[in-house]
């Protein structure tokens, strides 16, 4: 396993490289790079980080902690600022979907009300 390289010391770097690789592949296929990074997070399972049963350090938890710090500390905010600044509102599309959105909201509200009434 590639995550065993350097007794697990390089698992953070390797995990981030896998995410960047899948992000580049998804961008090459015409998707947003975050889709690929998300998919890499889905395939990286905890069992891939199990090195030896004798080692007391949990490589998965250590890697997860550092990746979450990076994701919530600077990657997430940069992503949402980028997304917010590239948001385009087209009035033609907005006008065409307002009716459908209102109908969907009414049906959803009635369904929620009925499911709560039947559950009680």
């Amino acid at each position: 396993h590639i995550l065993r390289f350097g007794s697990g010391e390089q698992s953070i770097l390797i995990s981030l490289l896998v995410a960047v690789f899948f992000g580049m592949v998804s961008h090459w296929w015409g998707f947003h790079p975050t889709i690929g990074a998300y998919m890499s997070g889905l395939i990286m399972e905890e069992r891939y980080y199990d090195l030896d049963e004798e080692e007391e350090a949990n490589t998965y938890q250590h890697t997860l902690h550092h990746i979450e710090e990076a994701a919530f500390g600077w990657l997430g905010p940069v992503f949402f600022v980028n997304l917010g600044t590239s948001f385009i509102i087209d009035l033609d599309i907005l006008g065409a979907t307002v009716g459908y959105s209102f109908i969907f909201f009414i049906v959803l509200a009635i369904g929620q009300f009925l499911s709560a009434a039947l559950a009680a």
Side-chain angles (χ1 to χ4, degrees):
H1 289 70
I2 195 166
L3 292 171
R4 293 183 181 178
F5 176 71
S7 299
E9 296 169 359
Q10 305 298 327
S11 62
I12 298 169
L13 176 64
I14 293 169
S15 298
L16 291 175
L17 286 175
V18 168
V20 168
F21 171 75
F22 279 103
M24 290 176 11
V25 168
S26 68
H27 181 69
W28 181 56
W29 286 345
F31 296 106
H32 198 276
T34 54
I35 300 295
Y38 176 73
M39 290 301 163
S40 71
L42 290 177
I43 64 169
M44 298 297 282
E45 296 181 15
E46 185 172 359
R47 65 184 170 104
Y48 297 153
Y49 294 86
D50 293 338
L51 301 177
D52 291 323
E53 296 172 7
E54 341 171 305
E55 288 188 24
E56 300 203 8
N58 190 343
T59 307
Y60 176 75
Q61 291 298 329
H62 177 73
T63 304
L64 182 65
H65 172 71
H66 287 292
I67 289 178
E68 282 181 348
E69 281 184 353
F72 296 132
W74 59 277
L75 288 175
V78 167
F79 168 73
F80 285 111
V81 166
N82 183 22
L83 182 66
T85 58
S86 65
F87 191 69
I88 299 172
I89 298 175
D90 188 1
L91 295 178
D92 294 333
I93 295 174
L94 184 64
T97 59
V98 165
Y100 293 115
S101 300
F102 183 72
I103 292 170
F104 180 71
F105 174 75
I106 296 299
V107 169
L108 185 65
I110 291 171
Q112 287 286 325
F113 178 76
L114 288 177
S115 68
L118 293 173

